[in-house]
Amino acid sequence: MTTLISFLGKGRLDARRTGYQQTTYRFSADFARSVAWFGLALAEHLKPQRLILVGTSGSMWDAFFERQGNDDEEILRLMEATEREDVTHDLLDLPRQRLAEQLGIPVVCLLIRYARDTAEQVHILHDLAAVVRRGERLCLDLTHGFRHLPMLALVAARYLERVAGVEIEELYYGAYDMRNNADETPVLRLRGLLTMLNWVDALATYDKDGDYGVFAPLLADDGMAAGTAERLAQAAYFERTSNPVSAQKTLSGVFRAVEAHRGRLGALFGETLQKRIGWFRGAQREDWELSLAAAYLERRDYLRAATFLYEAFITRACKQQGLADSDGFGNRKHAYKAASKTTPQLRQLVDLRNSLAHGVRPHTAESQRTLADEDRLRSRLQELRRALFPPGTGSIS
């Protein structure tokens, strides 16, 4: 079901009480309507199954309903209440019913606060969430509200998607100040703003947990071949299941496509994305694992940080001990046993990693103290990194 939410502003009334200026809104080459209230033309264009009119206690409810042919006595009461900024749902009920009969769809009138401060802004989000239904498809008309309401409406659109379980089909704005020489007002579609926010959300998600797979559907929607975008998600899966070799191989194959992507939004965020997945450029496996350890430590994912730090050391130990197959479990176990005899820091790292992975008490009192405090754990992992990979050893400095 599609529902149209249209904001009603305060505006200024002329002597004839016409409200907003009448203009011809151009939706497409074959659809235009000359009206004062954009929301009604939009309703005719979209043919929604429900209309929600949103305004404050001082919005132009009187002028709006007067234009719809309502009774003079009702309009007079609305005029008086509007002047006092004291419109109530009871005053709007009868005009609302008559408009519903004219349009042939249910109409809801929602009175909201003025959004003057955070408390009122939050209240508006709650009010909107209360009148929508999970699974609805919403179109938002931002044309006639207060000048600051479109900003709030953008936040509301994202909030309703995430919390109320609705789908935002489109955001519309009748751009009266952009009239052309034929005195036609263009109709702007602003759904792209929400798509931009999806990219911003994806960057925040990646910075938090390192899962660059969240970019795959965004790149596919932005024009990248679906198979190519899916390989990015596959690389993220390999990385997050501690398989850096497969992750690096997959990233190597898809990175050029990410680099060359010229979609509208991909071009905007592409450089940032490339930097975030650039760890695979290291010369060899221990470089990749150490880079990942540093990245996960930065994100406070201490288990993955400790795991990749340990694996980086074991990869190098396999090479130093002449064990060609560093992927083999037996070789890695052998490398650990040999190295742990002479490297106490490795044993300390394993103690911390096992405690993080299994939720068990560390073997040493020092490790217990380390795990009791986040700053101490972070510092200790950095110290172990420097001890296990001192500058000038191997390919890692």
Side-chain angles (χ1 to χ4, degrees):
M1 181 176 79
T2 298
T3 294
L4 172 61
I5 298 179
S6 182
F7 287 85
L8 187 65
K10 191 169 183 179
R12 295 180 180 178
L13 295 176
D14 57 23
R16 294 179 300 165
R17 301 190 52 77
T18 54
Y20 288 108
Q21 292 291 327
Q22 180 156 326
T23 185
T24 299
Y25 289 102
R26 172 61 64 181
F27 290 84
S28 63
D30 56 356
F31 190 92
R33 289 293 183 272
S34 294
V35 294
W37 307 93
F38 175 73
L40 292 180
L42 183 58
E44 184 180 354
H45 177 66
L46 295 176
K47 296 180 172 52
Q49 283 73 56
R50 195 161 69 112
L51 172 64
I52 300 175
L53 293 173
V54 182
T56 67
S57 58
S59 293
M60 285 193 291
W61 297 102
D62 53 346
F64 173 78
F65 282 116
E66 186 177 21
R67 272 184 166 259
Q68 314 316 313
N70 281 270
D71 182 83
D72 289 344
E73 186 176 343
E74 297 164 10
I75 297 303
L76 181 60
R77 288 199 296 269
L78 269 179
M79 288 171 55
E80 294 171 349
T82 299
E83 289 175 0
R84 298 192 307 268
E85 297 189 1
D86 192 28
V87 173
T88 66
H89 281 106
D90 286 342
L91 287 173
L92 295 173
D93 190 53
L94 189 56
R96 175 196 62 79
Q97 293 181 38
R98 290 180 175 170
L99 179 61
E101 292 171 0
Q102 292 175 23
L103 298 179
I105 58 174
V107 174
V108 175
C109 291
L110 177 64
L111 288 171
I112 60 171
R113 312 286 177 92
Y114 282 87
R116 288 169 290 204
D117 53 33
T118 301
E120 290 192 350
Q121 292 153 15
V122 168
H123 204 284
I124 290 173
L125 297 186
H126 283 300
D127 289 343
L128 288 171
V131 296
V132 300
R133 303 164 184 168
R134 184 166 294 275
E136 269 188 308
R137 297 185 299 274
L138 301 184
C139 293
L140 273 65
D141 162 29
L142 314 178
T143 305
H144 294 311
F146 287 117
R147 291 185 183 273
H148 65 300
L149 280 182
M151 292 182 287
L152 182 61
L154 189 63
V155 175
R158 177 49 50 89
Y159 174 80
L160 293 174
E161 281 186 324
R162 296 289 190 266
V163 174
V166 302
E167 176 187 344
I168 305 298
E169 283 192 348
E170 189 59 88
L171 283 73
Y172 290 91
Y173 180 74
Y176 183 76
D177 291 335
M178 295 172 63
R179 299 185 307 281
N180 60 22
N181 293 333
D183 203 31
E184 290 184 340
T185 298
V187 176
L188 307 185
R189 291 165 172 80
L190 304 176
R191 181 66 177 78
L193 296 176
L194 291 180
T195 305
M196 293 179 198
L197 289 180
N198 289 339
W199 280 85
V200 174
D201 285 350
L203 289 172
T205 296
Y206 173 79
D207 286 341
K208 179 180 181 297
D209 62 22
D211 182 11
Y212 43 83
V214 295
F215 295 105
L218 298 176
L219 286 166
D221 289 343
D222 199 46
M224 178 178 283
T228 303
E230 182 57 33
R231 290 206 302 277
L232 187 66
Q234 188 179 40
Y237 168 76
F238 287 140
E239 178 188 319
R240 295 176 67 76
T241 53
S242 302
N243 189 350
V245 175
S246 294
Q248 192 274 343
K249 181 179 179 181
T250 307
L251 273 181
S252 297
V254 76
F255 187 82
R256 186 168 296 177
V258 173
E259 200 172 29
H261 181 64
R262 292 295 179 268
R264 287 174 297 179
L265 292 175
L268 182 62
F269 293 93
E271 184 177 348
T272 300
L273 173 58
Q274 291 166 40
K275 291 178 180 178
R276 281 161 164 76
I277 62 176
W279 64 263
F280 78 94
R281 294 181 181 276
Q284 49 195 314
R285 176 173 172 169
E286 61 190 280
D287 297 303
W288 314 331
E289 290 167 331
L290 194 60
S291 294
L292 288 170
Y296 281 111
L297 182 59
E298 183 67 23
R299 298 184 195 105
R300 299 184 177 184
D301 188 339
Y302 301 113
L303 173 57
R304 282 195 172 93
T307 297
F308 278 115
L309 183 57
Y310 167 80
E311 298 299 341
F313 185 89
I314 296 304
T315 296
R316 191 182 64 173
C318 285
K319 181 173 62 177
Q320 291 173 340
Q321 295 173 30
L323 302 172
D325 182 13
S326 61
D327 281 334
F329 177 76
N331 284 347
R332 295 183 75 80
K333 184 177 181 181
H334 181 274
Y336 166 72
K337 286 184 176 180
S340 63
K341 294 176 182 178
T342 58
T343 313
Q345 295 90 344
L346 178 60
R347 297 193 298 271
Q348 294 164 13
L349 175 61
V350 171
D351 192 27
L352 288 173
R353 185 202 62 176
N354 290 344
S355 296
L356 290 165
H358 305 298
V360 297
R361 179 179 296 179
H363 288 123
T364 67
E366 180 184 356
S367 292
Q368 291 177 30
R369 288 192 298 273
T370 296
L371 287 175
D373 181 85
E374 182 178 2
D375 290 339
R376 189 179 290 127
L377 173 60
R378 186 181 185 85
S379 297
R380 184 58 182 148
L381 288 173
Q382 291 170 336
E383 291 169 359
L384 289 172
R385 190 263 190 214
R386 291 191 292 268
L388 294 172
F389 296 93
T393 59
S395 62
I396 303 173
S397 59

